[in-house]
Structures are given as C-alpha cells and as structure tokens.
Amino acid sequence: MGKPPQRTSLEDVARLAGVSPSTVSRALNRPELVSPATRERILEIARSLGYTPDQVARSLKRGKSPTLGLILSDISVSFHADVARGVEEVAQAQGYSLILFHSQESPERERAGLELLKSYRVAGIILEPTGKNRELEEALVQEGIRVVEVDRISGAKGVPSVLSDNLQGAALAAEHLLQAGHRWAFVVGGELGLTSCGERTEAFARRFTAGGGAAEVYTCPSTPEGGYEAALRYLSRGQRPSAVFVTTGQMAQGVLQAFQEQGIAIPQEVSLVVFDDPPWASLVSPPLTAVRQQAQEIGRKAAQRVLGERFPGRPKILRLPTELVERASVARLADPGGSYPPDNPA
Amino acid sequence: MGKPPQRTSLEDVARLAGVSPSTVSRALNRPELVSPATRERILEIARSLGYTPDQVARSLKRGKSPTLGLILSDISVSFHADVARGVEEVAQAQGYSLILFHSQESPERERAGLELLKSYRVAGIILEPTGKNRELEEALVQEGIRVVEVDRISGAKGVPSVLSDNLQGAALAAEHLLQAGHRWAFVVGGELGLTSCGERTEAFARRFTAGGGAAEVYTCPSTPEGGYEAALRYLSRGQRPSAVFVTTGQMAQGVLQAFQEQGIAIPQEVSLVVFDDPPWASLVSPPLTAVRQQAQEIGRKAAQRVLGERFPGRPKILRLPTELVERASVARLADPGGSYPPDNPA
DNA sequence: CTGTTAGCGCTTTCAC
DNA sequence: GTGAAAGCGCTAACAG
C-alpha cells in the first residue's frame, strides 16, 4: 500500500503518442528513421513522462550491456584509484558504465567477479589478475567478452595487458642510484610472483649489477606492513647497503613509517627510491625520489582496448613509459665507485 | 566466422537434463521445491556446461537487479576510496554488485548518473550529492529505489545520510588547540556550501570562539590547489594566527605543500590540525594531528541502509563519531590564554 | 515512414 | 514434484 513504483515504459509513451512501440523505439535510437513531426511529439511526450529506457530490457534484447567490469585487488591503493579514474573516464565518454569488483587478491573472489560480470553481459572486463584464473579469462574471451589486464600479466592467451614499463622504470632508478655513487642496494621487492614487483626487482637488480653495484633482494607481502617489516630487517643489520629501492608505493608507506619510528635520517643514513609516485611522496620529509607511473593513462588505454576495434596486429602488451621524479631522498655519495659496497655483501 | 559466442542458457541445461526450463530454474533458485535426484542431476549438468544464469534476463523478469549504484565526485580521494571499499564490502557480502559513477562535482553528470542507475534498475543508490538534484533523488525514492547519501546532506525528502559527526570532530580539534594555548586560528574552510566543509568550519569557529579564541575563516576550492592558495594567503600576512585548521585532507595536501615550499616549520611557526586522516598524515614531518573519520564504516552503514529493511522510525541522519589522533603538528604554547590573539584580529 | 511479429533468458503462477 | 504458458521492456527484421 502506498507503493506505486510504476515505471513508465516505452509502451506508455507509445500509447500516449498514438504510435506503435517500435516507432518510439526508433525515435529514441535511430531518429533519422522517423518523420520529424512524430519524432518531436514522441520525444516531447517521453520527456514529459520522465521516461527512461530500461537498460536491462535493452541489454537482454541486444545480448550485450553497455557496461565494463573492473576487477581490482583494492581500490584504496592510490595507483588503483587512478587507474579506475582513467577507465571510468573513457567508459563514461563512450556511454559505458563501470561495475567495480574487489578481488582482494583472492583467486576465488576473482573467479566470482569474473563470473558475475559475465552474467551481467558486460561488453568487456578490465582486470588486475591474480593469475590463477587464466582458463576462465580465456573462456570469457571465447564467449566474446573483451578482457584486458592492467598492471600485471597473467599469461592468459588472447588477453592483452596494459602496464608500466617496469624494466625502463627500474633501470631509471638503478641508474640514478649508480650515478649518485651508490654501489650497494637493498631491494624491497614485495611478492615477486606479481608482474609489477617481479619485473621491477629483477630489472633493478640487473641494471644495478651491470653498473658495478650489488643488489640484495628482500621479499615480503606487497603491503605497508610488508614494507615495514622489510625496513626493520634492513635496519637490523650491522653493515647496511647505502640505498633502498622499493617496488611499490604501498610498501614504501611501511618503509617510511619504520624509518621514521627508528629515527633514521633520509638520505643521510639511507637513500630511498620508490617505484610509483603516490600523492604523498612529495609531502614527506625529505620528498621522495620516485618513478612516476601514468596510472590514469593505463586505465584509459585499457578501456580503449576493451572498447575499441580489435586490431589483430596490435601488440599484445602495452607498456607505458615511466619518469623519474628526482626529489631529495637520494644522497650523492662522496666516493663514487668507492668502498661502500663491501666486496662481499653477503 | 570463427565466432561462436554461444552462451549456454537455462534451456540448454533443461534439454540435456530432460526436464523443463522451469524445473531448472527452481533447482537453481528454490532447490527445496525439486526432488533431490533431479536437483542433483540438473546441478551437475549445469556445472559441466559451465552454465551461468543470465543476470540481465533475471533482472528484467524480477524488475530489479542485485546492484547498487555509487556516485562519488572522485574515487581517487582517499576518503572516498575508503567509503567505496566499505560499500563494496557489504554489497558483495549480500550478493550485490556495485556500479561506480563519477560526478566530478557536476550536477549534470550527477543527474546523468542517477538516471543511468535508474535505467539499470539498481536496488539502491549511494550518493555523495551535489545538492542540485534533490527532485530527482526524491523521484527515485518514489519509484522504489533506495537512495542514501554519504558525507553530505542535500536536503532531499526521504533520503537519509551517513556522514561523520562533523560537529563533534571539529569541536575536538578546537578544544585541542585551545588546550594547547592557541587563541587565534586560521580556518581553511573550503567550499562552505558542502556539508562537510560548512559544518566543520562553523562548528570549529563556534567552539573555538566559545573557548575564548578567535577564528578567521578562509574559503577556497576544496582541492589541494585550494589549500595551497589558502596557505599562501595565510603566510602573506603580517601577523599570523598561531594555528591552522583544515577541513579536508585534500586541502591539507596543498597547505602542506605550500608550507614546505616556503620553509615554514610546523609546529614551531604554525600549528596544524586536519579534519580527516589520510594515510600519509602520519608519514609527513611532523606527523599531523588529525581528526580521523570512519570512512569505511560510513560506506558500510550506507550500504546497509540501502539494503536493509526500511525502519520508518530510524533516524534520518546517521553521524559517525570521529577521533582525534594527536601527533606532532600542534605546538603547546607557553602562555595559555595569553597575548597570542590580538585583541582585534581584524 | 510505421506497424506487426517474434523473441532475448529467465521466473512465476497455474494446472496436472 | 514438474510442465506449460505468459510476459518483464525493448529491439529488429519484415511487411506494408
């Protein structure tokens, strides 16, 4: 009682306008197929009735909904939020909506999300993959749903990825440290199984080593807590590397917290470079030298690939260049190439 | 050619199981109405076929989709991301999906989002309102769509809100400053038309004045840029208030940037309290004293209100308490109640 | 240019 | 317990 949620339907408009439903439909979707006079009348009536076409019915009929799915481990990571903004931006511009799903890094949740999105008949899915659901990804592609990965590469066949050029970015960091005279670095790597952490760690180590330095890799959860723990580990040593390279902004948060709590002076006691440039990097003391990613652009490009035409010849993996933002967390060492790195870091 | 995106439908399952579609539907939705034997068989076949019920068809039939809409000005504001996480958490737990929409603070985009969500037959909408679409909000409620506002109060009839207890939080900040001996404060208010900024500014001023202090309010865009500009304005004065109160984390970013660039020492030259406690607040030097909001809980509560039963007697506006996190950005003044506030701050 | 017809895939009475 | 039938609101041939 007292509940008349009578949505007005296309049929209502048709009746009032004295035309058939299909004409109304046309007036809305292909106006050029309807005589100007009736078109105007229909549109006018539709407006006056506050008519909104039912997307659900439309999607059922068309077999596809103007919707994109976005599966992220956690939207509150600033990098992810920026990616989401980019995705949403082009989706909205093209008339698509965004369904957001959190995987929380859990393969089961990811699977649930993928299946859910499929059942929603989304036009495409943008996915930060755990890598544990490759078959499902491939199956979705088979069914005609476009899938594009961001930030990681699961290895699923037929699924392109958009991510930062981790090799280039990590090399930038390594080189910068090398040039500042550092020859011994501690790498807070995170979970090396993740494309981002793995590639960054490896590329950094390779470049740094090639330049005559020695890199020690420490793995830990890719979270602030993981970074915190890694930093404590670093500090607990007798002799310490002169520089620390952190592969994600999340971990950097923890690293910084630890250094701060222990009263470690940056860059006097330790130099720091972070892969990723969260908004706070320039706010801390000292401001952090960081490898900036084009997060929003990654989102945009991913959305474009999902929505755009399929170019068979197109590169499967798109790597967006990064940029080194020099701030004040790296000390220039007095004796470049000198004695800092012990001959045997182990 | 080479494109057989044949989704398997309920009918396929029925055929293979040798039963009618309705039985399959029952087996899936009300298993108790189907004999255990057939039920098992159906479920088994469904599984082997990789069958996923089509949400679109289901939603059309049911006239409602298990989906919530979330309209935010910008997901990359950490407070919003946390709200979103909260919303998503309870939505997911209850089997609902989330459609994310960015209003970018534009009433037109908000209207578009609202209309879009309506056309998707979402079960409910969680909205950070611009306040310029009250009639539409009310109309949606009339049509049976639950709408709940977060962080702001538009004033739309029948639309509850969930937000921080701005009065309590601002009072906390004022009191803290008062107790530390401050008697003259500069308030970076932001856009006072927004519930958050307005309430915080007013409550702070009132409490601070009541305690014998003088508060000067400065309005500016509620963005980092706005904060930056406000801080410069503050700095450009001859005599300055001893404390600055910033009503949002976004603006605090800009304020900090400005202070840093100008080499202003906190809290020696100016004390700082921020309403909102973004993840970086504890990372900067000095760590910022902040009023912490229960962002995620705001999201959860909002989602619960959208999804839960309708309690007619329930309070329309839910204000979640905040907490003062004392860190190191407030100086204890030597001469409490003394001469800091000039008799005539103007 | 416009109306008629036939569903999209699923749920839901209503019979059997 | 299970099937048949109707239809959610819209679109897309196909006629006229």
Side-chain angles (χ1 to χ4, degrees):
Chain A
M1 15 201 104
K3 205 194 170 215
Q6 300 261 76
R7 283 178 48 85
T8 74
S9 76
L10 178 151
E11 204 163 349
D12 301 327
V13 180
R15 199 173 316 116
L16 261 168
V19 296
S20 77
S22 23
T23 303
V24 178
S25 174
R26 284 193 199 97
L28 262 33
N29 299 305
R30 344 251 330 270
E32 68 281 10
L33 296 185
V34 174
S35 83
T38 36
R39 188 203 313 156
E40 285 317 314
R41 189 155 40 86
I42 292 175
L43 261 27
E44 175 51 33
I45 293 185
R47 194 171 321 116
S48 74
L49 254 45
Y51 169 70
T52 322
D54 187 321
Q55 273 304 337
V56 178
R58 186 176 273 181
S59 303
L60 177 60
K61 180 63 189 167
R62 295 195 178 153
K64 217 130 209 73
S65 102
T67 304
L68 254 38
L70 175 61
I71 303 185
L72 255 24
S73 58
D74 178 3
I75 187 78
S76 64
V77 172
S78 68
F79 171 76
H80 294 156
D82 288 335
V83 170
R85 268 210 305 173
V87 169
E88 223 256 348
E89 180 187 317
V90 347
Q92 213 174 102
Q94 308 224 40
Y96 284 76
S97 306
L98 237 208
I99 296 188
L100 176 68
F101 197 92
H102 273 192
S103 65
Q104 292 160 194
E105 221 60 276
S106 145
E108 292 75 37
R109 298 221 62 42
E110 179 180 49
R111 157 171 287 274
L114 251 13
E115 233 130 41
L116 178 96
L117 293 174
K118 169 184 163 188
S119 79
Y120 270 95
R121 286 177 171 275
V122 296
I125 297 176
I126 290 157
L127 171 69
E128 178 197 27
T130 65
K132 297 296 202 295
N133 282 309
R134 267 175 286 183
E135 300 82 356
L136 218 199
E137 291 181 48
E138 292 166 4
L140 291 173
V141 172
Q142 282 306 316
E143 293 189 50
I145 298 177
R146 311 280 286 264
V147 180
V148 172
E149 296 174 346
V150 285
D151 195 42
R152 325 225 270 229
I153 302 172
S154 75
K157 304 293 172 225
V159 177
S161 294
V162 182
L163 68 172
S164 290
D165 191 337
N166 292 317
L167 280 59
Q168 173 254 357
L172 239 36
E175 225 140 284
H176 181 66
L177 251 15
L178 245 13
Q179 277 177 13
H182 295 268
R183 290 296 179 274
W184 191 19
F186 184 84
V187 178
V188 179
E191 295 157 64
L192 302 189
L194 304 178
T195 307
S196 46
C197 294
E199 289 188 349
R200 291 165 197 175
T201 297
E202 204 197 346
F204 177 90
R206 176 165 6 186
R207 182 70 195 78
F208 199 69
T209 307
E216 278 176 52
V217 175
Y218 185 83
T219 67
C220 58
S222 304
T223 60
E225 292 70 36
Y228 186 89
E229 175 210 320
L232 290 188
R233 196 56 165 267
Y234 165 83
L235 291 176
S236 72
R237 312 171 34 141
Q239 254 198 337
R240 296 178 199 149
S242 62
V244 170
F245 173 62
V246 188
T247 59
T248 71
Q250 281 290 294
M251 289 189 291
Q253 232 174 282
V255 169
L256 222 58
Q257 188 91 40
F259 282 174
Q260 202 171 283
E261 287 178 13
Q262 303 298 316
I264 304 299
I266 308 173
Q268 292 79 5
E269 296 180 64
V270 55
S271 289
L272 195 58
V273 177
V274 184
F275 199 115
D276 191 24
D277 185 28
W280 49 265
S282 63
L283 257 29
V284 297
S285 309
L288 262 33
T289 291
V291 176
R292 175 179 296 161
Q293 308 186 71
Q294 304 185 53
Q296 215 177 326
E297 186 66 11
I298 289 179
R300 283 194 213 100
K301 284 274 190 279
Q304 284 165 3
R305 287 175 90 104
V306 161
L307 292 175
E309 329 223 348
R310 165 147 277 149
F311 296 112
R314 256 239 204 105
K316 290 289 310 305
I317 295 182
L318 182 59
R319 292 181 184 276
L320 268 40
T322 63
E323 171 191 6
L324 184 75
V325 183
E326 283 189 48
R327 287 195 273 244
S329 60
V330 173
R332 188 157 284 282
L333 259 36
D335 184 8
S339 59
Y340 279 90
D343 285 345
N344 179 6
Chain B
M1 20 204 97
K3 203 193 169 215
Q6 301 260 78
R7 285 178 46 87
T8 75
S9 75
L10 178 151
E11 203 163 350
D12 301 328
V13 180
R15 201 173 314 116
L16 261 169
V19 297
S20 77
S22 21
T23 304
V24 177
S25 174
R26 284 194 198 97
L28 261 33
N29 300 305
R30 345 252 327 271
E32 69 280 10
L33 296 185
V34 175
S35 82
T38 36
R39 187 202 314 156
E40 285 316 315
R41 190 155 40 85
I42 291 174
L43 262 28
E44 174 50 33
I45 292 184
R47 195 171 319 116
S48 73
L49 254 44
Y51 169 70
T52 322
D54 186 321
Q55 273 303 338
V56 177
R58 185 176 274 182
S59 302
L60 176 59
K61 183 62 192 166
R62 302 222 246 239
K64 216 127 210 77
S65 103
T67 303
L68 255 38
L70 176 60
I71 301 184
L72 256 24
S73 58
D74 179 1
I75 187 80
S76 65
V77 173
S78 69
F79 171 75
H80 294 156
D82 287 334
V83 170
R85 269 212 302 174
V87 170
E88 220 257 3
E89 180 187 317
V90 347
Q92 211 176 102
Q94 308 223 41
Y96 283 76
S97 306
L98 236 208
I99 295 187
L100 176 67
F101 197 91
H102 273 192
S103 65
Q104 293 158 192
E105 220 60 276
S106 143
E108 292 74 38
R109 298 221 62 44
E110 178 179 51
R111 157 170 287 273
L114 251 13
E115 231 129 43
L116 179 97
L117 293 173
K118 168 184 164 188
S119 79
Y120 271 94
R121 286 178 170 275
V122 297
I125 296 175
I126 289 156
L127 170 69
E128 178 198 24
T130 65
K132 297 295 201 298
N133 282 307
R134 267 175 286 182
E135 299 82 358
L136 220 199
E137 291 181 50
E138 292 166 4
L140 291 173
V141 172
Q142 282 306 317
E143 293 189 50
I145 299 177
R146 311 281 286 262
V147 180
V148 173
E149 296 174 346
V150 285
D151 195 39
R152 324 225 271 229
I153 302 173
S154 75
K157 304 292 172 226
V159 177
S161 295
V162 182
L163 69 170
S164 288
D165 191 337
N166 292 318
L167 280 59
Q168 173 254 359
L172 238 38
E175 224 141 285
H176 181 65
L177 250 16
L178 245 14
Q179 275 176 15
H182 295 269
R183 291 294 178 276
W184 192 19
F186 184 84
V187 179
V188 179
E191 295 158 64
L192 302 189
L194 304 179
T195 307
S196 45
C197 294
E199 288 188 349
R200 290 165 197 175
T201 297
E202 202 197 347
F204 178 90
R206 174 165 7 186
R207 183 69 194 79
F208 199 69
T209 307
E216 276 176 52
V217 175
Y218 185 84
T219 66
C220 58
S222 304
T223 60
E225 293 69 37
Y228 186 88
E229 175 210 320
L232 290 189
R233 196 57 164 266
Y234 165 83
L235 290 176
S236 71
R237 313 172 33 141
Q239 253 197 338
R240 297 179 200 147
S242 61
V244 171
F245 173 62
V246 188
T247 58
T248 72
Q250 281 290 293
M251 289 188 291
Q253 232 174 282
V255 169
L256 221 58
Q257 188 89 41
F259 282 174
Q260 204 171 281
E261 287 178 14
Q262 303 298 316
I264 304 299
I266 307 172
Q268 292 78 7
E269 297 180 63
V270 55
S271 290
L272 196 58
V273 178
V274 184
F275 199 115
D276 191 23
D277 185 29
W280 49 265
S282 63
L283 256 31
V284 297
S285 308
L288 262 34
T289 291
V291 177
R292 175 179 295 161
Q293 308 186 69
Q294 303 186 54
Q296 215 177 326
E297 186 65 12
I298 288 178
R300 284 195 211 98
K301 284 275 189 280
Q304 285 165 3
R305 286 177 91 104
V306 162
L307 292 174
E309 329 222 349
R310 165 146 278 149
F311 296 111
R314 255 233 205 113
K316 292 288 311 303
I317 295 182
L318 183 59
R319 293 183 184 274
L320 268 43
T322 63
E323 171 191 7
L324 184 76
V325 183
E326 283 189 47
R327 287 195 275 245
S329 60
V330 172
R332 186 158 286 281
L333 259 35
D335 184 8
S339 59
Y340 278 89
D343 285 346
N344 180 7

